[in-house]
Amino acid sequence: SSHQQPIALVPNAPKFTDEQWEKLGEGLNTLGKKAKEKGIKMCYHHHMGTGVMTPEEIDRLAEVTDPDLVSLCLDTGHLHFAGGDCVEFIEKYHDRIKHVHLKNIRQNVMEHSLTNELSFKEAIEAGVFTVPGDPAGCLDFKAILGALAKKGFEGWLVVEAEQDPAKANPLEYAKMAREYLREITGQ
C-alpha cells in the first residue's frame, strides 16, 4: 500500500488481480469465521492508499466476502477522499456496516492533495481531515447520521480527526465534534 510511504497516495495504491481478490476474500472469510466462533464481528476498514480504497474496490471486496463473516466499517473521510458518497454507501451496505468512523474532509485540501499527488502523511499534515462540526469540513453529517438512523444502525460511532496536533488543538476539536454531534443527534 501507499498510505505508509512517502509517495503519491492515489497513483501508487495497489490494484489487485482477480487472483489476489480471490485470495483476499478467502483470507478474510477465514478470519471472519474464526472471529465469529469467538463471538466477535470482524469489520473491514477501506482506506486511502490501499487495494480497497475506491467505491468500486469496496464493491469487489463485498462480492468476494461472506456478509455473515465480514462486516464493513464506514469511514466517512476515507470514502469521500476516494470519490465515494457516504449516503449511497449506507443505502447499499447498511446490513453490513457494523462500525463507523466519523471523519470530516476539508475539500480544498483534498483537491490540493490529489492534484499535487501528496503522500498520505503530507495530506494529513496539510489538514485534509478534520472532525464533524468543523465549519471548514464539507461532509453533511446530518444526512449521514440520518441515513444510518433510518437503516437502524446500532454500532459504534468513532470520531476521528487525524490532524497535526500542533495545528489543530486536540481538545478544542474534540469539544467541537462533541458539541456538534450532541446538537444534531440530541444525544
Side-chain angles (χ1 to χ4, degrees):
S1 70
S2 63
H3 78 284
Q4 295 291 339
Q5 299 179 53
I7 56 177
L9 181 61
V10 174
N12 291 296
K15 297 294 176 202
F16 297 153
T17 65
D18 288 341
E19 182 182 356
Q20 289 170 321
W21 277 112
E22 188 177 313
K23 286 182 179 180
L24 177 63
E26 289 170 5
L28 290 174
N29 285 335
T30 298
L31 291 172
K33 184 176 181 192
K34 289 180 180 186
K36 187 175 183 176
E37 289 167 357
K38 301 284 185 187
I40 299 168
K41 288 184 189 211
M42 188 179 81
C43 292
Y44 190 93
H45 185 312
H46 56 93
H47 202 287
M48 290 300 296
T50 71
V52 185
M53 174 176 69
T54 67
E56 296 78 22
E57 291 161 345
I58 296 168
D59 289 345
R60 186 74 185 266
L61 177 84
E63 288 172 18
V64 299
T65 55
D66 182 338
D68 292 328
L69 301 176
V70 181
S71 299
L72 299 174
C73 170
L74 163 60
D75 186 303
T76 58
H78 283 268
L79 186 64
H80 183 78
F81 202 164
D85 180 278
C86 295
V87 173
E88 286 177 15
F89 184 93
I90 294 163
E91 289 294 323
K92 190 173 202 173
Y93 292 116
H94 61 90
D95 56 335
R96 289 185 80 167
I97 300 170
K98 304 299 180 202
H99 192 73
V100 177
H101 290 177
L102 299 176
K103 187 182 299 139
N104 212 342
I105 288 277
R106 292 182 178 97
Q107 185 75 22
N108 60 328
V109 179
M110 182 190 87
E111 290 169 3
H112 171 81
S113 299
L114 293 170
T115 301
N116 294 285
E117 298 189 338
L118 299 186
S119 70
F120 189 59
K121 182 177 182 229
E122 289 169 331
I124 290 172
E125 289 173 346
V128 70
F129 294 127
T130 187
V131 297
D134 184 343
C138 69
L139 294 183
D140 182 353
F141 286 95
K142 288 181 186 176
I144 292 166
L145 293 171
L148 286 167
K150 183 179 170 187
K151 295 297 184 182
F153 176 76
E154 295 183 345
W156 284 92
L157 298 171
V158 178
V159 173
E160 291 190 322
E162 288 189 57
Q163 300 186 88
D164 181 344
K167 295 179 183 174
N169 180 285
L171 181 58
E172 178 185 330
Y173 279 82
K175 286 180 177 179
M176 181 190 303
R178 183 64 190 114
E179 289 169 21
Y180 172 76
L181 291 172
R182 184 177 288 121
E183 178 186 313
I184 66 168
T185 66
Q187 301 285 325

